[in-house]
């Protein structure tokens, strides 16, 4: 007596038979017939022809029969809209039924019937159900609004259902709240602009209360909704975190991951010194580890997310390396992800373990996995310098196994190791050469050719080796051809006497016999170089190469920040923002982390060279020039260096500045990069973080001067009276703000206009928008006698607590002396907050400009400025507004400028200089910034700087 | 939210489809079939597959692919968790979850799926509540229904669904009131060639079978709760009391449920109960290789190790093996190269061993890969982490329940490299 009997058919024709049964008088027979219909439907048979007969069975007291008919209706109503109307009456009647289960069922089913005509009839019953006394009905009705919105959005808005839905967020029943949130989120997704989920502290509080009591699925909806909220300050963020943390112990992994998302996002707002911050970090590790003991599918999603978390906050899992060790029967997709995370977590402390594991993996059966493991060894060598030696010997061991694909992978990564540590491991070249014949993959061949060309002077038979490759030149892939061309030119420059013939041959092959434009162009460039000026050719081709950066496959920081906001979603699985793949880009709102440190990760063009995209001659780990610069810049802004580094380091920045020279030595002499590398402006004095591998020792004269250039400091306004003596029992304070070599100070002039001696001075700032705070106590060395004046320079830092002020640059100060405490407030010019490394890479500038929505653009006029473009640029630069590019369009000079605030907010500017009257210029300033409220103040800063 | 669900068997037939919104053509599964073809084994089919208009999220259980179709940005874990819940529910309803069983109960399956999701939003996923809405088929009920014409669909509003304890139905009555708890620990470990532990961790769960009348409020306390620092609870557990007092306080669902799962990873807390001595060697010249493994007890706290099975994937070059076990039975499949040895109990006085030779393809070089040994075993009456339940108390009801607790340790992914 099982349902399989419903699948058996008779000869007469199934449909005919069923029709007869459906119209039978016997209830039992009817029900059996409907069951047969449903059974056919589930396996995809078309039983729509029975529509009228099935609908006839709808008017019944039998709940099961009713449900079955409803199931049928949902499936086929769309194909038979006219017939579906027949069902409406029953629905309307059922919505009035005393049994809440039936009311709910009716409203639920009606919503699933995707027929326009029916939706009109649905409105009234739905309105009633949304206000039903039974929460079960209300929660079903809430979902129904979302269904209806999907069918006819306009109708839902006109009928005011959205407002009713919003009211349900305050419902007394947590399940209703959860469903209302879910419905609103879904509607909001197709309506990106509408402000449906208007979150405020009150509604957040309600959600947090409902969070504890609703079902696991409801918790997911609520947590995802919470993640979209931006708390007003760190205290609120902390209190939300405290209430969300218990969710980390939930058995449902989706709840856990959604909670992780909320915590990761709000953590951004917490100060790192807070005890709570540390506690939170500790609490995050165990649930993430636990996710890895779940089913493989869950593990996969968890691992993709952990990959993001590890990049954002490596400290969370730094001690958990072992849980990522691969088990041999893990599915391949889990293995590959684990491997990736292992490399990210590799450090000097655990490198021995990691290497031992990787070596083990290299003997596994799965070819893809083995390849990736070999590559991982190379990445370890590049990442952890101390381990390079061991990695190389491990790779050599692997080459000895003679397993073809292992050897090839090993050679590819050894080439990268050579680039990272030039002239260190050449002893292995001989071993590599032995395996020349077994290389059949283009990438490995190209790598080997590069090695031969690069070390041609140390390989006796380099010419023979390269010649052997040349024989099948036309059968090689482009990658190999390009590499071979360059390698032979290198060889020629190193051993000109013996190899003239060879170079002639390759040049003619490349230029005359090839129809690949890249290859041809490069061939011609070399040819002309060699024929016009061999010395120059030598300088170009054999120039020192920039070192490759550590982790080129890191996700670019702005993207990473955005993805952190999408933890647990498809975006986090694909590591792409939803705008990149969500159908039609509909309903995509860019999310960003809360502002405190979010924007301190600089923006950059989205396509950092991903590993594995072979680009011409550049081997794939080594990014193209522009990207490399970008990467190095990023190192400064440091995602690997945990947390918000800028605020704390801005004080010492000046000192470090002078050393920061690595950058331009890299910009100068990359031979093969074709894009222009000079920005037409003095090199930015990028602060090299100590330990960042940019060779900070390389401070040449040029750098020093540019460092000195910034020494002159930004514009300083004359002192104004902040606190008149009248108001402060005889103490008069006037002052101004300065910024010099990276440090901000408040220059104060205290005058005693009273008749008694003043002592015991102290100063305090209220919380303010940029966290300005005194870096040292106010020191007035001697007591201030009547009519005496002292000048004090009070150093400031920007690590104080942050609170948005109105106006933004308002600073409230309290000064105490032996007489009383006095308060005053002053406005500080924004340019004291412009940091020295505010120069953006050109490509990054372009990408960021495009990326910032147009509504964030603000335009201002600066009239009657007496300077020309050159002077404007110089003047602004001394206040850390950097000109990135200059253009002349129809007689007007356009300057493109960038600056960065101490809290990491970037401001991009376009300055149009148009001649107004003969001696004065009119400037038109367009500012773009992710935090548009600063624009007004930046404009004021521009004006002050330029007019003085 | 979740749009549709397709059930696909391992030969690639869609045998059930369910749509919660508009109907999605089953041709969308073609993308899944492509991925299935690319993956060598069913387990390796990636769980998230993008198609031009949809995303396919799948889990593979009981030789069935459960493929969910989504169209918008939905948390994938949410979908995968839900699919697992579907599998669990089927298993709960029908005892086993397999293609024939699902086909046999297709109408119930359909009704259940309809109750589980509404418009893609989960509706009722607790089996306690589902069973009130749609009664699971039993032979007796089918017979009764046929005779009396009654149905297996409940017509009462499920009581638990709106209460503060949505996981428990009201009006539960038993004549024998009993509560059983099983503490089950699985050891996941990787042991290297020389026998030292590379990683070891314990995945523990406490599964409960509670059949108690009324609304009992239970507290469970441990002798050494400090072991549990990484835990996931059933929603019924009051988290606050755990935080403050380290006891589990809860109103249990009715029937079987997983109260708690925990994770012990600190290396020193994980004892390794068995060791494997192995000598697997190939020689360059000969086409014969030597094979010898011995299994013995290590830290077992005096308990016997039972149900020992040794599985090993031999290198592709191995043609056949001729082995003699000192106990148990062994098989070698020359096609899949899988060696399995069913050892049984380990007698510490006479350690089980498996010895013999492997024959390689004549003239082939010695294999590159080393076989990994996968070990399965069970130890009754022992939780290897040392976790011990102190006591179980019941409040809120007057009767005296019968209580029981059982411990067991099993091998999870226990691998020995050679």
């Amino acid at each position: 007596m099982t349902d399989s009997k419903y699948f058996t058919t008779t000869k007469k024709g199934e449909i005919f038979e069923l029709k007869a049964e459906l119209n039978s008088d016997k209830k039992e027979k009817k029900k059996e017939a409907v069951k047969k219909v449903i059974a056919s439907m589930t396996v995809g048979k078309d039983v729509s022809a029975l529509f009228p007969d099935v609908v006839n069975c709808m008017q019944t007291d039998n709940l099961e029969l009713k449900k079955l008919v409803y199931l049928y209706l949902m499936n086929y109503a769309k194909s038979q809209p006219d017939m579906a109307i027949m069902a409406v009456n029953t629905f309307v009647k059922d919505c009035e039924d005393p049994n809440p289960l039936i009311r709910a069922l009716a409203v639920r089913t009606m919503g699933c019937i995707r027929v326009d005509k029916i939706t009109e009839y649905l409105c009234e019953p739905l309105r009633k159900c949304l206000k039903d006394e039974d929460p079960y009905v209300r929660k079903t009705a809430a979902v129904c609004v979302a269904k209806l919105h999907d069918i006819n959005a306009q109708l839902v808005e006109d009928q005011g259902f959205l407002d009713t839905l919003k009211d349900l967020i305050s419902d007394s029943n947590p399940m209703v709240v959860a469903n209302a949130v879910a419905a609103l989120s879904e509607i909001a997704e197709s309506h990106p602009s509408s402000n449906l989920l208007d979150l405020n502290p009150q509604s957040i509080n309600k959600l947090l209360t409902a969070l504890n009591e609703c079902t696991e699925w409801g918790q997911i909806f609520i947590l995802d909704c919470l993640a979209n909220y931006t708390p007003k300050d760190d205290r609120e963020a902390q209190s939300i975190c405290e209430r969300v943390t218990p969710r980390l112990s939930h058995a449902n992994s989706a709840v856990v991951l959604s909670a992780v998302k909320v915590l990761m996002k709000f953590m951004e707002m917490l100060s790192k010194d807070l005890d709570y911050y540390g506690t939170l970090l500790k609490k995050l590790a165990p649930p993430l580890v636990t996710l890895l003991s779940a089913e493989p599918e869950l593990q996969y999603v968890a691992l993709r997310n952990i990959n993001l978390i590890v990049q954002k906050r490596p400290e969370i899992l730094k001690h958990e390396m072992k849980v990522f060790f691969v088990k041999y029967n893990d599915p391949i997709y889990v293995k590959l992800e684990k491997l990736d995370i292992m490399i990210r977590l590799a450090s000097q402390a655990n490198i021995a373990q990691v290497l031992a594991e990787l070596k083990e993996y290299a003997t596994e059966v799965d070819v893809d996995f083995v390849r990736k493991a070999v590559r991982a060894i190379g990445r370890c060598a590049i990442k952890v310098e101390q381990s390079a030696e061991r990695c190389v010997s491990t790779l050599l061991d692997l080459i000895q196994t003679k397993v073809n694909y292992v050897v090839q992978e090993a050679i590819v990564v050894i080439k990268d190791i050579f680039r990272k540590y030039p002239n260190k491991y050449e002893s292995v070249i001989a071993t590599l050469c032995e395996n020349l014949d077994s290389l059949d993959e283009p990438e490995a061949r190209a790598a080997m050719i590069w090695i031969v060309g690069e070390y041609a002077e140390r390989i006796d038979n380099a010419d023979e080796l390269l010649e052997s490759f040349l024989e099948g030149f036309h059968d090689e892939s482009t990658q190999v051809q390009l590499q071979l061309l360059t390698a032979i030119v290198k060889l020629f420059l190193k051993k000109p006497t013996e190899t003239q013939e060879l170079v002639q041959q390759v040049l003619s092959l490349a230029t005359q016999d090839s129809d690949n434009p890249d290859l041809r162009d490069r061939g011609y460039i070399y040819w002309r170089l060699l024929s016009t000026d061999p010395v120059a050719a030598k300088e170009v081709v054999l120039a020192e190469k920039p070192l490759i950066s550590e982790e080129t496959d890191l996700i670019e920081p702005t993207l990473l920040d955005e993805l952190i906001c999408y933890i647990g979603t498809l975006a986090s699985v694909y590591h792409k923002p939803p705008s990149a793949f969500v159908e039609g880009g509909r309903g995509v709102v860019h999310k960003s982390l809360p502002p405190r440190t979010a924007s301190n990760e600089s923006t950059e063009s989205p396509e950092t060279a991903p590993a594995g995209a072979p680009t011409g001659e550049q081997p794939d780990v080594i990014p193209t020039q522009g990207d490399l610069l970008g990467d190095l810049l990023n190192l400064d802004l440091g995602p690997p260096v945990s947390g918000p580094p800028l605020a704390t380091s801005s004080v010492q920045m000046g000192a470090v500045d002078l050393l920061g020279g690595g950058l331009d030595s890299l910009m100068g002499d990359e031979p093969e990069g074709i894009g222009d590398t000079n920005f037409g402006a003095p090199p930015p004095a990028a602060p090299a973080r100590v330990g960042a591998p940019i060779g900070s020792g390389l401070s040449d004269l040029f750098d020093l001067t540019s460092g000195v250039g910034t020494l002159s400091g930004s514009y300083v306004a004359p002192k104004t009276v902040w606190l008149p003596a009248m108001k402060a029992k005889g103490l008069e304070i006037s002052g101004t703000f300065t910024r010099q070599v990276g440090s901000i100070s408040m220059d104060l002039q205290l005058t005693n206009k009273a008749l008694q001696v003043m002592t015991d001075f102290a100063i305090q700032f209220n919380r303010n928008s940029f966290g300005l705070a005194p870096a040292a106590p106010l020191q007035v060395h001697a007591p201030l006698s009547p009519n005496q004046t002292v000048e004090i320079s009070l150093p400031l830092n920007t690590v104080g607590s942050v609170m948005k002020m109105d106006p933004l640059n308002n600073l409230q100060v309290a000064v105490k002396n032996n007489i009383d405490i006095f308060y005053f407030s002053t406005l500080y010019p924004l340019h004291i907050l412009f940091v020295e490394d505010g120069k953006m890479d050109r490509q990054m500038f372009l990408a960021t400009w495009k990326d910032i929505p147009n509504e964030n653009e603000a335009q201002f006029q600066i009239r009657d400025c007496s300077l020309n473009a050159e002077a404007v640029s110089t003047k602004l630069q001394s206040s850390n507004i950097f000109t990135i590019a200059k253009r002349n369009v129809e007689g007007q000079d356009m300057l493109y400028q960038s600056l960065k605030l101490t809290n990491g907010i970037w401001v991009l500017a376009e300055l149009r200089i148009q001649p107004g009257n003969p001696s004065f210029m009119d400037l038109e300033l367009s500012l773009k910034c992710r935090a548009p409220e600063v624009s007004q103040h930046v404009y004021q800063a521009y004006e002050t700087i330029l007019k003085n | 939210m979740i749009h549709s669900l397709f059930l696909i068997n391992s030969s690639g037939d869609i045998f059930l489809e369910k749509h919660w919104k508009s109907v999605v053509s089953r041709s969308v599964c073609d993308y899944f079939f492509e991925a299935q073809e690319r993956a060598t084994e069913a387990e390796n089919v990636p769980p998230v597959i993008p198609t031009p208009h949809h995303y396919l999220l799948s889990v593979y259980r009981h030789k069935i692919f459960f493929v969910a179709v989504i169209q918008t940005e939905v948390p994938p874990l949410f979908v995968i968790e839900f699919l697992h819940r579907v599998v669990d529910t089927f298993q709960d309803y029908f005892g086993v979850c397999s293609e024939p069983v699902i086909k046999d109960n297709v109408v119930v399956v359909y009704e259940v799926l309809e109750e589980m999701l509404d418009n893609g939003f989960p509706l009722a996923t607790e089996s306690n509540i589902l069973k009130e809405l749609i009664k699971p088929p039993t032979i007796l009920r089918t017979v009764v229904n046929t005779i009396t014409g009654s149905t297996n669909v409940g017509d009462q509003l499920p009581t638990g669904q709106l209460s503060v304890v949505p996981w428990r139905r009201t009006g539960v009555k038993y004549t024998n009131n009993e509560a059983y708890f099983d503490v089950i620990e699985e050891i996941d470990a990787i042991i290297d060639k020389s026998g030292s532990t590379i990683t070891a961790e314990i995945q523990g769960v406490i599964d409960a079978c509670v059949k108690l009348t009324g609304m009992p409020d239970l507290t469970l306390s441990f002798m050494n709760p400090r072991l549990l620092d990484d835990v996931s609870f059933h929603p019924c557990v009051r988290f606050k009391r755990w935080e403050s007092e380290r006891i589990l306080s809860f109103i249990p669902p009715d029937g079987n449920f997983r109260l708690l799962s925990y994770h012990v990873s600190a290396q020193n807390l994980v004892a390794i109960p068995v060791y494997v001595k192995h000598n697997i060697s190939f020689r360059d010249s000969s086409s014969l290789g030597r094979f010898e493994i011995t299994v013995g007890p290590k830290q077992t706290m005096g308990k016997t190790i039972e149900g020992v099975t040794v599985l090993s994937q031999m290198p592709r070059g191995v043609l056949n093996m001729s082995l003699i076990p000192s106990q148990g039975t062994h098989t070698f499949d020359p096609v899949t190269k899988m060696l399995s040895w069913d050892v049984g109990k380990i007698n510490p006085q006479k350690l089980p061993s498996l010895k013999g030779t492997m024959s390689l393809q004549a003239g082939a070089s010695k294999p590159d890969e080393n076989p990994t040994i996968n070990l399965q075993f069970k130890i009754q009456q022992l939780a290897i982490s040392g976790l011990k339940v102190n006591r179980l108390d019941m409040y809120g009801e007057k009767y005296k329940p019968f209580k029981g607790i059982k411990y067991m340790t099993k091998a999870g992914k226990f691998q020995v490299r050679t």
Side-chain angles (χ1 to χ4, degrees), chain A residues 3 42-43 64 67 108 147 216-217 249 253 286 290 293 295 328-330 357 363 568 570 574 581, chain B residues 26 50 55 61 73 76 81 85 104 110 114-115 118 125 151-152 203 230 232-233 369 413 415 417:
Chain A
D3 293 352
T42 54
V43 290
E64 187 183 17
K67 277 191 171 181
R108 191 172 123 201
K147 294 180 195 169
E216 50 200 308
W217 313 107
S249 302
S253 60
T290 305
S293 52
E295 286 82 357
Y328 90 95
N329 45 4
D330 282 335
E357 278 295 303
T363 62
L570 278 174
Y574 285 104
F581 63 88
Chain B
R26 54 165 67 190
Y55 290 88
R61 291 288 173 282
E73 173 67 273
E81 277 280 356
R85 212 55 64 84
D104 280 351
Y110 220 67
E114 181 62 30
E115 284 307 328
D118 177 21
T125 52
T151 76
N152 60 346
Q203 313 290 351
D230 181 2
S232 318
F233 297 118
E369 64 266 23
K413 287 188 165 181
Q415 310 188 341
R417 291 175 179 161

Side-chain angles (χ1 to χ4, degrees), chain B residues 177 394 398-403:
Chain B
N177 288 297
M394 187 183 74
K398 295 233 160 55
Y399 56 85
K400 226 173 143 32
F402 187 78
K403 301 178 278 192

Side-chain angles (χ1 to χ4, degrees), chain A residues 1-4 6-7 28 31 35 38-39 41-44 62-64 67-68 71 74-75 99-101 108 112 114 134-136 139-140 143 146-147 150 173 175 182-183 186 189 216-217 220-221 224 246 248-254 257 283 286-287 289-290 293 295-298 300-301 322-323 325-333 357 360-361 363-365 403 568-571 573-574 578 581-583 586, chain B residues 1 15-19 21-23 26 43-50 52-53 55 58-61 70 72-78 80-82 84-85 103-108 110-111 114-115 117-119 121-123 125-126 133 142 146 149-158 161-163 166 188 190 193 198-199 201 203 229-233 235 239 263 267 313 316 368-370 372 374 413 415 417:
Chain A
M1 289 300 283
T2 66
D3 293 352
S4 57
Y6 302 128
F7 290 114
E28 201 41 42
K31 198 169 83 187
K35 280 194 178 179
I38 300 285
M41 191 175 86
T42 54
V43 290
N62 184 318
L63 193 60
E64 187 183 17
K67 277 191 171 181
L68 290 171
L71 277 176
M74 285 184 232
N75 227 17
N99 184 344
L101 195 58
R108 191 172 123 201
C112 294
R114 308 176 63 86
D134 195 306
Y136 183 73
K139 94 178 182 139
T140 315
V143 176
K147 294 180 195 169
D150 196 30
N173 187 295
M175 249 72 90
E186 193 179 65
E189 209 175 305
E216 50 200 308
W217 313 107
I220 301 170
F221 297 134
D224 284 348
L248 292 175
S249 302
H250 202 286
N252 185 321
S253 60
L257 205 56
K283 281 194 173 163
V289 171
T290 305
S293 52
E295 286 82 357
E297 298 93 359
L298 295 173
Y300 172 74
V301 177
K322 285 188 171 177
V323 300
F325 284 0
V326 172
K327 309 233 164 59
Y328 90 95
N329 45 4
D330 282 335
I332 180 75
Y333 54 81
E357 278 295 303
E360 197 68 48
Y361 303 159
T363 62
E364 282 223 19
V365 189
V403 179
T569 67
L570 278 174
V573 173
Y574 285 104
F581 63 88
V582 166
E583 175 96 313
R586 137 192 116 110
Chain B
M1 292 294 120
F15 66 90
L16 188 111
E17 59 182 290
K18 167 83 185 111
H19 307 277
K21 292 182 157 191
S22 52
V23 177
R26 54 165 67 190
E43 285 81 9
N44 285 343
V45 177
V48 185
I49 301 168
H53 301 285
Y55 290 88
S58 63
V59 302
Y60 182 65
R61 291 288 173 282
I70 58 174
T72 48
E73 173 67 273
V74 180
L77 275 189
F78 167 97
I80 294 174
E81 277 280 356
F82 177 78
H84 283 152
R85 212 55 64 84
K103 275 187 170 164
D104 280 351
N105 296 288
V106 69
V107 177
V108 176
Y110 220 67
E111 285 170 338
E114 181 62 30
E115 284 307 328
L117 276 188
D118 177 21
N119 193 36
F121 299 111
L123 200 58
T125 52
E126 286 289 335
L133 285 167
T142 331
T146 338
S150 64
T151 76
N152 60 346
V153 172
D155 52 4
Q156 285 300 308
L157 183 63
Q161 203 160 9
L162 288 165
S163 71
D188 288 353
I190 302 177
K193 278 188 194 52
I198 293 179
T199 72
E201 50 190 23
Q203 313 290 351
D229 63 341
D230 181 2
V231 283
S232 318
F233 297 118
F239 189 71
H263 181 94
Q267 201 87 179
Q313 173 79 52
R316 269 164 298 185
D368 314 316
E369 64 266 23
N370 302 321
T372 303
N374 225 11
K413 287 188 165 181
Q415 310 188 341
R417 291 175 179 161

Side-chain angles (χ1 to χ4, degrees), chain A residues 820-836:
Chain A
D820 205 347
I821 302 175
F822 313 108
Y823 302 94
F824 64 90
S825 72
T826 173
L827 299 177
Y828 50 90
L830 212 61
H831 68 259
I832 61 163
L833 301 171
F834 297 173
V835 296
E836 278 67 19

